Amino acid sequence: MDMKMEFYRKLPTPKEIKEQFPLTDEIIKARDERDEVIKNIFEGKDDRLLLIIGPCSADNETSVLDYVTRLKEVADKVSEKIFIIPRVYTNKPRTTGLGYKGMLHSPNPEDHEDMLKGIIAIRDLHTKVVARTGLTAAEEMLYPENHRYLSDLLAYIAIGARSVENQQHRIVASGAGLPAGMKNPTAGDLTVMMNSITAAQNSHTFLYRGWEARTQGNPLSHAILRGYVDKYGRSHPNYHYEDLLDVSALYEEHSDLVNPAVIVDCNHNNSGKKFMEQIRIAKEVVASRNHNNDIKKLVKGLMIESYIEDGNQKIGEGVYGKSITDPCLGWEKSERLIYELADIWK
């Protein structure tokens, strides 16, 4: 029996999209310069805090560009202590598979899905972010086969808690050519995360977009701690001092891994999705790092979900700069937190 799947239309390849929407020399220069700094942070040559901050989902071009423009002004002021990567997440994982899946699917959240418009919209948004601010952004690699539509624009990719056990995600990350953060799975098993880092740091031959492809391995693949859920559906954190020591010990057991590193996701199950808790969590992680040299070597940065307005809203409510997915920390609180982190980061 044939598959019960309608092949609606053939979409342009990433190569075709990149040729249709090429990057300027200025964008390429900004990307290359930022890539070098980020690489140095993960290799321990630069001890600045790597701060990956921005909306849960990039749902509206105007408000995202407004947010990143504000972020650029703050980034310049704290640049001696903090290196900022904006979150511009244009595709969103859904626990049940239902609901808004991001700009890739729906450039207008209130309109129907259109993947061709979505591909063009997300490339246009990321291009405008770099062109207007000089900041290259982070994305979640939700669909490995779509990564190359943006691969020449990004500074960082995250592999989500639901994807981290998937072989294709791991293998594509091994050839990404930029830092790839592996989140612990939703159930919290850190050995799964470590196995994913091992897979991504090694070379592979596999099938990708109709090609037999080979990767060289990604030495900048690393851990992201995002908390976890127990069998009763309750949230538990894994950002505390003892948790960070546990990950340090796991890295020691995996002596084949290079550039041991942790990014702490201050939201999701670490905060129980209570967005205000991100302020306290971020400061606690920095305090743990300042107190212990092993943790200081390990913890490279933080992830914070932040937008213009506090909290979240339903699609169609129309509040400018307010998340339509998970609740986010508003701009005023986010700006204050960035300055506070710059003051305490040693």
Side-chain angles (χ1 to χ4, degrees):
M1 183 181 291
D2 198 7
M3 295 175 68
K4 298 294 184 182
M5 185 184 298
E6 178 188 358
F7 287 82
Y8 172 57
R9 63 180 167 187
K10 185 155 179 62
L11 294 170
T13 66
K15 183 173 185 288
E16 290 167 342
I17 288 289
K18 287 174 177 175
E19 289 171 350
Q20 188 177 354
F21 302 98
L23 304 184
T24 64
D25 291 342
E26 291 80 8
I27 288 176
I28 293 169
K29 182 174 183 288
R31 178 202 66 198
D32 290 348
E33 289 174 354
R34 283 175 57 83
D35 284 355
E36 186 65 23
V37 174
I38 297 165
K39 180 173 180 283
N40 287 340
I41 290 172
F42 279 104
E43 291 180 345
K45 300 172 185 173
D46 186 324
D47 62 1
R48 280 179 283 180
L49 164 66
L50 194 66
L51 183 60
I52 302 162
I53 184 169
C56 175
S57 61
D59 54 12
N60 178 283
E61 180 183 285
T62 303
S63 55
V64 168
L65 289 172
D66 180 356
Y67 176 90
V68 179
T69 301
R70 300 182 192 196
L71 196 62
K72 166 63 173 172
E73 293 180 11
V74 178
D76 288 343
K77 294 175 183 176
V78 298
S79 61
E80 289 187 9
K81 289 287 197 75
I82 300 177
F83 190 85
I84 290 180
I85 301 176
R87 278 176 58 109
V88 183
Y89 280 28
T90 58
N91 46 133
K92 291 300 297 176
R94 311 307 305 186
T95 303
T96 63
L98 304 175
Y100 175 64
K101 296 182 179 70
M103 188 180 285
L104 172 66
H105 286 258
S106 308
N108 180 352
E110 297 182 53
D111 203 353
H112 61 85
E113 294 186 332
D114 188 321
M115 300 297 288
L116 178 58
K117 284 184 180 178
I119 289 167
I120 294 169
I122 66 173
R123 185 162 179 86
D124 186 49
L125 175 58
H126 274 279
T127 303
K128 285 176 178 173
V129 166
V130 191
R132 295 188 187 185
T133 69
L135 301 180
T136 46
E139 270 272 15
E140 176 171 352
M141 192 173 75
L142 183 58
Y143 308 109
E145 63 273 23
N146 295 342
H147 169 66
R148 290 190 61 80
Y149 287 113
L150 296 175
S151 59
D152 56 340
L153 279 159
L154 299 178
Y156 182 95
I157 55 170
I159 309 301
R162 300 170 189 84
S163 304
V164 73
E165 291 189 76
N166 179 273
Q167 183 150 305
Q168 191 184 29
H169 282 82
R170 294 174 170 188
I171 291 176
V172 173
S174 77
L178 70 165
M182 302 294 185
K183 291 198 173 187
N184 63 261
T186 50
D189 186 345
L190 297 185
T191 60
V192 169
M193 177 185 72
M194 300 306 292
N195 289 341
S196 189
I197 297 167
T198 300
Q201 287 202 3
N202 282 278
S203 60
H204 301 275
T205 300
F206 69 115
L207 178 66
Y208 186 62
R209 297 192 64 90
W211 288 76
E212 181 179 357
R214 296 190 185 95
T215 66
Q216 296 179 359
N218 186 349
L220 302 183
S221 176
H222 59 277
I224 302 175
L225 299 179
R226 47 88 74 202
Y228 63 98
V229 182
D230 67 20
K231 63 182 179 181
Y232 302 107
R234 296 176 299 210
S235 284
H236 296 274
N238 59 8
Y239 63 84
H240 292 305
Y241 184 83
E242 294 79 9
D243 297 306
L244 297 172
L245 286 177
D246 286 343
V247 178
S248 179
L250 280 173
Y251 264 115
E252 286 183 12
E253 293 173 17
H254 290 74
S255 57
D256 56 317
L257 295 178
V258 297
N259 304 318
V262 165
I263 301 289
V264 175
D265 180 344
C266 297
N267 212 17
H268 296 99
N269 293 116
N270 269 332
S271 68
K273 293 193 178 180
K274 297 175 182 175
F275 68 92
M276 285 290 291
E277 291 298 304
Q278 295 183 100
I279 298 169
R280 177 187 58 79
I281 292 165
K283 292 176 181 177
E284 180 179 324
V285 172
V286 175
S288 296
R289 179 188 176 277
N290 291 344
H291 182 72
N292 182 286
N293 202 46
D294 289 338
I295 295 175
K296 187 170 188 175
K297 291 177 183 175
L298 186 69
V299 173
K300 304 297 183 183
L302 303 167
M303 279 186 171
I304 293 172
E305 291 194 324
S306 154
Y307 211 174
I308 294 170
E309 298 295 336
D310 281 338
N312 62 348
Q313 63 181 327
K314 293 180 181 177
I315 293 174
E317 288 185 19
V319 179
Y320 178 78
K322 192 170 187 177
S323 176
I324 60 171
T325 46
D326 288 350
C328 295
L329 197 64
W331 174 251
E332 291 180 6
K333 296 181 182 70
S334 301
E335 183 180 20
R336 190 180 314 124
L337 176 59
I338 293 170
Y339 292 136
E340 290 171 348
L341 291 172
D343 286 339
I344 63 175
W345 184 264
K346 297 177 182 177

